[in-house]
Protein backbone atom coordinates (compact mmCIF):
# COMPACT_ATOMS: atom_id res chain seq x y z
CA UNK A 1 0.00 0.00 0.00
CA UNK A 2 1.36 3.43 -0.93
CA UNK A 3 1.84 5.77 1.99
CA UNK A 4 0.50 9.00 0.53
CA UNK A 5 0.24 12.07 2.69
CA UNK A 6 -2.92 13.85 1.54
CA UNK A 7 -6.48 13.03 0.51
CA UNK A 8 -9.40 15.07 -0.85
CA UNK A 9 -12.94 13.74 -0.38
CA UNK A 10 -16.19 14.82 -2.03
CA UNK A 11 -19.06 12.74 -0.66
CA UNK A 12 -22.02 13.63 -2.82
CA UNK A 13 -25.58 12.44 -2.63
CA UNK A 14 -25.02 9.69 -5.21
CA UNK A 15 -21.27 9.25 -5.62
CA UNK A 16 -18.23 9.65 -3.37
CA UNK A 17 -14.99 10.79 -5.00
CA UNK A 18 -11.64 10.47 -3.22
CA UNK A 19 -8.65 12.19 -4.82
CA UNK A 20 -5.12 11.02 -4.11
CA UNK A 21 -1.88 11.71 -5.93
CA UNK A 22 -2.38 10.72 -9.53
CA UNK A 23 -5.92 9.29 -9.34
CA UNK A 24 -9.52 9.75 -8.23
CA UNK A 25 -11.37 6.77 -6.72
CA UNK A 26 -15.18 6.61 -7.00
CA UNK A 27 -17.91 4.57 -5.36
CA UNK A 28 -21.57 4.87 -4.41
CA UNK A 29 -22.33 7.09 -1.41
CA UNK A 30 -24.28 5.74 1.56
CA UNK A 31 -28.05 6.32 1.16
CA UNK A 32 -29.29 9.67 2.41
CA UNK A 33 -32.69 10.60 3.76
CA UNK A 34 -35.13 11.58 1.04
CA UNK A 35 -35.26 15.29 0.40
CA UNK A 36 -32.07 16.03 2.33
CA UNK A 37 -31.08 19.64 1.80
CA UNK A 38 -27.58 19.39 3.25
CA UNK A 39 -26.49 15.96 2.09
CA UNK A 40 -23.59 14.90 4.21
CA UNK A 41 -25.07 16.42 7.39
CA UNK A 42 -27.54 13.55 7.47
CA UNK A 43 -24.68 11.17 8.16
CA UNK A 44 -23.71 12.65 11.51
CA UNK A 45 -27.08 13.71 12.88
CA UNK A 46 -27.06 10.82 15.40
CA UNK A 47 -24.46 8.56 17.02
CA UNK A 48 -25.65 5.68 14.88
CA UNK A 49 -25.26 7.69 11.70
CA UNK A 50 -21.81 8.89 12.77
CA UNK A 51 -20.74 5.30 13.41
CA UNK A 52 -22.09 4.20 10.02
CA UNK A 53 -20.20 7.02 8.30
CA UNK A 54 -17.00 6.03 10.09
CA UNK A 55 -17.48 2.41 9.00
CA UNK A 56 -18.14 3.48 5.40
CA UNK A 57 -15.00 5.61 5.18
CA UNK A 58 -12.83 3.10 7.03
CA UNK A 59 -13.87 0.41 4.57
CA UNK A 60 -12.92 2.62 1.62
CA UNK A 61 -9.41 3.11 2.96
CA UNK A 62 -9.12 -0.62 3.58
CA UNK A 63 -10.42 -1.95 0.24
CA UNK A 64 -10.46 0.86 -2.36
CA UNK A 65 -8.05 3.71 -1.66
CA UNK A 66 -4.33 2.94 -1.23
CA UNK A 67 -3.76 5.40 1.62
CA UNK A 68 -2.94 4.86 5.28
CA UNK A 69 -5.21 7.39 7.11
CA UNK A 70 -2.87 7.61 10.11
CA UNK A 71 -0.19 9.06 7.83
CA UNK A 72 -2.42 11.37 5.80
CA UNK A 73 -4.14 14.74 6.09
CA UNK A 74 -7.64 14.97 4.66
CA UNK A 75 -9.80 17.80 3.33
CA UNK A 76 -13.49 16.94 3.13
CA UNK A 77 -15.76 19.07 0.94
CA UNK A 78 -18.93 19.95 2.88
CA UNK A 79 -22.14 21.77 1.95
CA UNK A 80 -21.59 25.46 1.28
CA UNK A 81 -24.45 26.33 3.63
CA UNK A 82 -22.16 25.35 6.49
CA UNK A 83 -20.05 28.47 5.84
CA UNK A 84 -21.67 31.06 8.11
CA UNK A 85 -20.96 34.77 7.71
CA UNK A 86 -20.13 37.21 10.45
CA UNK A 87 -19.44 40.90 9.84
CA UNK A 88 -15.85 40.44 8.69
CA UNK A 89 -15.16 36.76 8.10
CA UNK A 90 -16.51 33.35 7.23
CA UNK A 91 -16.95 31.08 10.24
CA UNK A 92 -15.28 27.74 9.35
CA UNK A 93 -17.68 24.80 8.88
CA UNK A 94 -15.87 22.84 11.62
CA UNK A 95 -17.18 25.38 14.16
CA UNK A 96 -20.75 24.07 13.89
CA UNK A 97 -22.00 21.18 16.01
CA UNK A 98 -22.27 18.92 12.97
CA UNK A 99 -18.83 20.03 11.82
CA UNK A 100 -17.29 19.15 15.18
CA UNK A 101 -18.87 15.69 15.09
CA UNK A 102 -17.70 15.14 11.54
CA UNK A 103 -14.15 16.21 12.41
CA UNK A 104 -14.12 13.70 15.28
CA UNK A 105 -15.30 10.95 12.90
CA UNK A 106 -12.43 11.69 10.52
CA UNK A 107 -9.71 11.90 13.19
CA UNK A 108 -10.85 9.68 16.08
CA UNK A 109 -12.78 6.98 14.19
CA UNK A 110 -11.21 6.80 10.71
CA UNK A 111 -7.81 7.81 12.08
CA UNK A 112 -6.60 10.62 9.84
CA UNK A 113 -3.59 12.52 11.15
CA UNK A 114 -5.41 15.80 10.53
CA UNK A 115 -8.72 16.83 9.00
CA UNK A 116 -10.23 20.02 7.62
CA UNK A 117 -13.73 20.79 6.38
CA UNK A 118 -13.87 23.15 3.40
CA UNK A 119 -16.97 24.37 1.50
CA UNK A 120 -17.41 22.40 -1.69
CA UNK A 121 -17.40 25.43 -3.97
CA UNK A 122 -14.11 26.60 -2.44
CA UNK A 123 -12.68 23.22 -3.42
CA UNK A 124 -13.95 23.77 -6.98
CA UNK A 125 -12.39 27.25 -6.94
CA UNK A 126 -9.11 25.77 -5.67
CA UNK A 127 -9.05 23.51 -8.72
CA UNK A 128 -9.03 26.70 -10.85
CA UNK A 129 -6.22 28.38 -8.91
CA UNK A 130 -2.73 28.62 -10.34
CA UNK A 131 0.59 29.88 -8.93
CA UNK A 132 1.29 33.36 -10.25
CA UNK A 133 -2.31 33.93 -11.28
CA UNK A 134 -3.47 37.55 -11.07
CA UNK A 135 -6.21 38.19 -8.54
CA UNK A 136 -9.73 37.96 -9.91
CA UNK A 137 -13.26 37.13 -8.76
CA UNK A 138 -14.72 33.80 -9.93
CA UNK A 139 -18.43 32.99 -10.05
CA UNK A 140 -18.98 29.30 -9.22
CA UNK A 141 -22.16 27.26 -8.69
CA UNK A 142 -23.21 23.84 -7.45
CA UNK A 143 -26.57 22.80 -8.89
CA UNK A 144 -27.38 19.64 -6.97
CA UNK A 145 -30.32 17.31 -6.53
CA UNK A 146 -32.25 19.57 -4.16
CA UNK A 147 -30.25 22.77 -3.67
CA UNK A 148 -28.38 25.44 -5.58
CA UNK A 149 -25.35 27.23 -4.14
CA UNK A 150 -23.76 30.21 -5.89
CA UNK A 151 -20.61 31.93 -4.66
CA UNK A 152 -17.95 34.40 -5.71
CA UNK A 153 -14.38 33.58 -4.73
CA UNK A 154 -11.29 35.70 -5.12
CA UNK A 155 -8.55 33.69 -6.84
CA UNK A 156 -5.09 35.11 -6.19
CA UNK A 157 -2.37 32.75 -7.34
CA UNK A 158 -2.99 29.51 -5.42
CA UNK A 159 -5.19 31.27 -2.81
CA UNK A 160 -9.00 31.30 -2.67
CA UNK A 161 -11.20 33.48 -0.46
CA UNK A 162 -14.99 33.63 -0.28
CA UNK A 163 -16.58 37.03 -0.89
CA UNK A 164 -20.29 36.18 -0.77
CA UNK A 165 -22.71 33.32 -1.35
CA UNK A 166 -26.39 32.79 -2.20
CA UNK A 167 -28.55 29.68 -1.97
CA UNK A 168 -31.71 28.33 -3.55
CA UNK A 169 -33.96 25.29 -3.04
CA UNK A 170 -35.27 23.18 -5.89
CA UNK A 171 -38.29 22.08 -3.87
CA UNK A 172 -40.87 24.45 -2.43
CA UNK A 173 -44.38 23.80 -1.08
CA UNK A 174 -44.33 20.30 -2.49
CA UNK A 175 -43.38 21.44 -5.99
CA UNK A 176 -40.10 20.88 -7.80
CA UNK A 177 -38.73 24.08 -9.28
CA UNK A 178 -36.68 24.40 -12.45
CA UNK A 179 -32.90 24.16 -11.77
CA UNK A 180 -32.33 26.82 -14.43
CA UNK A 181 -34.72 29.28 -12.78
CA UNK A 182 -33.40 28.66 -9.26
CA UNK A 183 -29.77 28.96 -10.41
CA UNK A 184 -30.53 32.20 -12.28
CA UNK A 185 -32.29 33.66 -9.23
CA UNK A 186 -29.38 32.77 -6.95
CA UNK A 187 -26.90 34.37 -9.35
CA UNK A 188 -29.05 37.49 -9.56
CA UNK A 189 -29.21 37.87 -5.75
CA UNK A 190 -25.50 37.22 -5.37
CA UNK A 191 -24.24 39.58 -8.05
CA UNK A 192 -26.53 42.34 -6.80
CA UNK A 193 -24.38 42.31 -3.64
CA UNK A 194 -20.97 41.75 -5.28
CA UNK A 195 -19.70 44.61 -7.39
CA UNK A 196 -16.59 44.85 -9.50
CA UNK A 197 -15.40 42.75 -12.43
CA UNK A 198 -15.52 38.96 -12.56
CA UNK A 199 -13.13 36.66 -14.39
CA UNK A 200 -14.58 36.03 -17.87
CA UNK A 201 -15.77 32.49 -17.25
CA UNK A 202 -17.95 30.97 -14.53
CA UNK A 203 -17.79 27.36 -13.38
CA UNK A 204 -20.82 25.17 -12.63
CA UNK A 205 -20.85 21.72 -11.02
CA UNK A 206 -23.50 19.33 -9.71
CA UNK A 207 -25.85 16.67 -11.01
CA UNK A 208 -28.34 19.22 -12.36
CA UNK A 209 -25.71 21.28 -14.20
CA UNK A 210 -27.34 20.88 -17.61
CA UNK A 211 -26.74 22.94 -20.74
CA UNK A 212 -29.93 24.90 -19.95
CA UNK A 213 -28.59 25.74 -16.49
CA UNK A 214 -25.29 26.97 -17.91
CA UNK A 215 -27.12 29.26 -20.33
CA UNK A 216 -29.38 30.54 -17.52
CA UNK A 217 -26.33 31.39 -15.41
CA UNK A 218 -24.69 33.25 -18.28
CA UNK A 219 -27.87 35.23 -18.92
CA UNK A 220 -28.41 36.03 -15.22
CA UNK A 221 -24.87 37.42 -14.94
CA UNK A 222 -26.04 40.20 -17.29
CA UNK A 223 -22.84 40.63 -19.27
CA UNK A 224 -20.44 40.33 -16.34
CA UNK A 225 -19.11 37.01 -17.68
CA UNK A 226 -18.60 35.79 -21.24
CA UNK A 227 -18.89 32.02 -20.79
CA UNK A 228 -19.86 29.27 -18.35
CA UNK A 229 -17.87 26.07 -18.03
CA UNK A 230 -19.16 22.75 -16.76
CA UNK A 231 -16.86 21.33 -14.07
CA UNK A 232 -15.75 17.72 -14.21
CA UNK A 233 -17.51 15.66 -11.49
CA UNK A 234 -14.11 14.98 -9.87
CA UNK A 235 -13.13 18.65 -9.69
CA UNK A 236 -14.34 19.14 -6.10
CA UNK A 237 -12.31 16.20 -4.83
CA UNK A 238 -9.24 17.29 -6.80
CA UNK A 239 -9.49 20.81 -5.41
CA UNK A 240 -9.81 19.39 -1.90
CA UNK A 241 -6.62 17.41 -2.51
CA UNK A 242 -4.76 20.57 -3.54
CA UNK A 243 -5.81 22.18 -0.26
CA UNK A 244 -4.82 19.09 1.74
CA UNK A 245 -1.40 19.11 0.04
CA UNK A 246 -1.04 22.84 0.77
CA UNK A 247 -0.67 23.56 -2.91
CA UNK A 248 -3.76 25.77 -2.60
CA UNK A 249 -4.64 27.98 0.36
CA UNK A 250 -8.33 28.16 1.32
CA UNK A 251 -8.78 31.33 3.35
CA UNK A 252 -11.74 32.00 5.60
CA UNK A 253 -10.82 35.32 7.18
CA UNK A 254 -9.95 38.52 5.35
CA UNK A 255 -6.15 38.32 4.93
CA UNK A 256 -5.08 41.99 4.82
CA UNK A 257 -4.67 44.93 7.19
CA UNK A 258 -6.32 48.19 6.08
CA UNK A 259 -5.96 51.61 7.65
CA UNK A 260 -6.00 55.36 7.15
CA UNK A 261 -2.75 57.29 7.14
CA UNK A 262 -3.03 60.15 9.68
CA UNK A 263 -0.81 62.82 11.21
CA UNK A 264 -0.17 63.44 14.88
CA UNK A 265 1.84 66.18 16.59
CA UNK A 266 3.79 64.70 19.50
CA UNK A 267 6.36 66.71 21.51
CA UNK A 268 6.30 69.36 18.84
CA UNK A 269 7.09 66.90 16.06
CA UNK A 270 4.81 65.76 13.25
CA UNK A 271 4.38 61.99 13.15
CA UNK A 272 2.59 59.79 10.65
CA UNK A 273 0.67 56.76 11.85
CA UNK A 274 -1.87 54.29 10.46
CA UNK A 275 -5.29 54.12 12.09
CA UNK A 276 -6.56 50.52 11.59
CA UNK A 277 -9.98 50.00 10.05
CA UNK A 278 -12.29 47.10 10.94
CA UNK A 279 -15.86 46.08 10.21
CA UNK A 280 -16.91 48.09 13.28
CA UNK A 281 -17.49 51.75 12.29
CA UNK A 282 -14.96 54.32 13.44
CA UNK A 283 -15.55 58.08 13.58
CA UNK A 284 -12.81 60.01 11.83
CA UNK A 285 -12.36 63.77 11.54
CA UNK A 286 -11.04 65.03 8.22
CA UNK A 287 -9.40 68.44 8.72
CA UNK A 288 -10.18 71.55 6.69
CA UNK A 289 -6.80 71.49 4.96
CA UNK A 290 -7.42 68.01 3.51
CA UNK A 291 -8.02 67.75 -0.22
CA UNK A 292 -8.66 64.69 -2.36
CA UNK A 293 -9.37 61.05 -1.51
CA UNK A 294 -8.98 59.59 1.95
CA UNK A 295 -5.39 58.28 2.35
CA UNK A 296 -6.27 54.61 2.74
CA UNK A 297 -3.39 52.14 2.91
CA UNK A 298 -3.30 48.33 2.82
CA UNK A 299 -0.82 45.80 4.13
CA UNK A 300 -1.14 42.75 1.94
CA UNK A 301 -1.29 39.44 3.81
CA UNK A 302 -0.69 41.39 7.05
CA UNK A 303 3.03 41.66 6.42
CA UNK A 304 5.49 43.96 4.71
CA UNK A 305 5.02 47.61 3.80
CA UNK A 306 1.82 49.64 3.84
CA UNK A 307 0.79 50.29 0.24
CA UNK A 308 -1.40 53.13 -1.00
CA UNK A 309 -4.92 52.13 -2.01
CA UNK A 310 -6.90 54.25 -4.39
CA UNK A 311 -10.45 55.42 -3.67
CA UNK A 312 -12.61 56.68 -6.50
CA UNK A 313 -14.07 59.76 -4.75
CA UNK A 314 -12.76 62.72 -2.76
CA UNK A 315 -13.67 63.05 0.91
CA UNK A 316 -14.82 66.42 2.21
CA UNK A 317 -13.59 67.85 5.51
CA UNK A 318 -15.72 67.02 8.54
CA UNK A 319 -16.66 64.03 10.67
CA UNK A 320 -17.21 60.71 8.91
CA UNK A 321 -18.17 57.21 10.04
CA UNK A 322 -15.81 54.76 8.34
CA UNK A 323 -15.80 50.97 8.27
CA UNK A 324 -14.06 48.18 6.37
CA UNK A 325 -16.17 45.90 4.17
CA UNK A 326 -13.82 42.92 3.77
CA UNK A 327 -15.97 40.83 1.44
CA UNK A 328 -16.69 43.53 -1.14
CA UNK A 329 -14.36 43.16 -4.13
CA UNK A 330 -10.89 41.69 -4.52
CA UNK A 331 -9.30 43.76 -1.75
CA UNK A 332 -12.49 44.73 0.09
CA UNK A 333 -14.09 48.15 0.32
CA UNK A 334 -14.44 51.15 2.62
CA UNK A 335 -17.80 52.52 3.69
CA UNK A 336 -17.66 56.28 4.31
CA UNK A 337 -21.01 57.41 5.63
CA UNK A 338 -23.52 55.88 3.24
CA UNK A 339 -21.11 55.56 0.31
CA UNK A 340 -19.10 52.43 -0.51
CA UNK A 341 -15.70 52.67 -2.21
CA UNK A 342 -13.88 49.55 -3.38
CA UNK A 343 -10.18 49.29 -2.50
CA UNK A 344 -7.86 49.11 -5.49
CA UNK A 345 -4.09 49.11 -5.41
CA UNK A 346 -2.60 52.10 -7.19
CA UNK A 347 -0.35 51.42 -10.17
CA UNK A 348 2.87 51.92 -8.21
CA UNK A 349 1.81 49.34 -5.66
CA UNK A 350 0.90 46.75 -8.27
CA UNK A 351 4.23 46.98 -10.12
Amino acid sequence: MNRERAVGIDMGTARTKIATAGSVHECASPPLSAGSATGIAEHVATRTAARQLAEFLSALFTDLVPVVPEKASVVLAVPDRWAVFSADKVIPPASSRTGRVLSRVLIDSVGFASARLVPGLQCVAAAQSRPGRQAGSLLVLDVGASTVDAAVYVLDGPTTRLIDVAHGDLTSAGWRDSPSEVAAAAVGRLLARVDGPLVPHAVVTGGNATAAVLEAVRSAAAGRITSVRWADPTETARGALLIARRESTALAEYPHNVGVSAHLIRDGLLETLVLPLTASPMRLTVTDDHMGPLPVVIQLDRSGSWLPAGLAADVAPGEHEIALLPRNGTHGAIRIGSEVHRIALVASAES
Side-chain angles (χ1 to χ4, degrees):
M1 179 177 288
N2 296 328
R3 298 181 179 271
E4 301 179 27
R5 301 290 182 176
V7 175
I9 302 178
D10 171 25
M11 198 168 74
T13 301
R15 303 288 293 174
T16 290
K17 281 81 68 176
I18 301 177
T20 61
S23 61
V24 178
H25 311 269
E26 292 193 51
C27 66
S29 294
L32 301 177
S33 298
S36 168
T38 55
I40 196 172
E42 294 290 323
H43 287 293
V44 290
T46 65
R47 289 183 180 180
T48 299
R51 186 187 70 251
Q52 291 173 342
L53 175 60
E55 292 171 351
F56 168 73
L57 291 174
S58 296
L60 291 182
F61 287 93
T62 300
D63 301 327
L64 177 66
V65 184
V67 172
V68 178
E70 292 83 356
K71 297 181 178 294
S73 60
V74 63
V75 167
L76 176 65
V78 298
D80 288 81
R81 296 173 187 231
W82 290 17
V84 181
F85 286 110
S86 68
D88 61 348
K89 63 181 180 181
V90 179
I91 299 174
S95 298
S96 68
R97 177 185 174 277
T98 304
R100 291 193 297 270
V101 172
L102 186 53
S103 295
R104 288 198 297 269
V105 167
L106 293 170
I107 294 175
D108 297 341
S109 301
V110 184
F112 283 105
S114 66
R116 184 177 176 190
L117 312 182
V118 176
L121 286 180
Q122 189 157 21
C123 295
V124 175
Q128 323 302 313
S129 63
R130 301 288 184 274
R133 180 171 185 163
Q134 186 177 3
S137 298
L138 173 72
L139 172 64
V140 57
L141 287 89
D142 179 11
V143 185
S146 59
T147 62
V148 172
D149 298 308
V152 172
Y153 280 91
V154 170
L155 307 186
D156 189 356
T159 299
T160 59
R161 176 171 60 87
L162 179 63
I163 294 181
D164 208 343
V165 65
H167 308 290
D169 290 321
L170 294 179
T171 57
S172 60
W175 296 91
R176 184 159 188 85
D177 298 318
S178 162
S180 298
E181 294 176 354
V182 175
V187 169
R189 292 194 304 273
L190 175 63
L191 296 188
R193 301 193 299 263
V194 177
D195 64 357
L198 303 173
V199 297
H201 70 277
V203 178
V204 181
T205 187
N208 269 320
T210 62
V213 168
L214 268 59
E215 176 57 29
V217 169
R218 189 196 63 79
S219 178
R224 295 177 64 179
I225 59 174
T226 57
S227 64
V228 183
R229 183 177 71 81
W230 176 75
D232 184 274
T234 65
E235 206 147 334
T236 302
R238 290 189 288 107
L241 175 63
L242 292 175
I243 297 168
R245 296 175 66 173
R246 300 185 181 179
E247 295 177 12
S248 180
T249 301
L251 295 179
E253 297 187 5
Y254 181 72
H256 311 307
N257 289 324
V258 177
V260 176
S261 181
H263 300 296
L264 173 70
I265 297 178
R266 180 178 295 169
D267 298 329
L269 299 176
L270 183 65
E271 295 183 4
T272 300
L273 71 160
V274 174
L275 302 176
L277 295 177
T278 69
S280 299
M282 175 183 70
R283 296 198 71 81
L284 183 70
T285 299
V286 177
T287 58
D288 291 338
D289 59 353
H290 171 81
M291 296 181 62
L294 196 69
V296 174
V297 290
I298 184 170
Q299 187 185 45
L300 298 177
D301 300 318
R302 297 177 180 162
S303 64
S305 303
W306 288 96
L307 304 175
L311 296 186
D314 295 344
V315 178
E319 278 204 356
H320 300 273
E321 191 175 73
I322 302 174
L324 174 65
L325 304 177
R327 300 199 315 268
N328 191 318
T330 301
H331 293 103
I334 302 296
R335 181 175 60 79
I336 305 175
S338 60
E339 297 184 353
V340 174
H341 306 271
R342 289 197 319 120
I343 297 171
L345 299 185
V346 300
S348 61
E350 293 176 329
S351 60

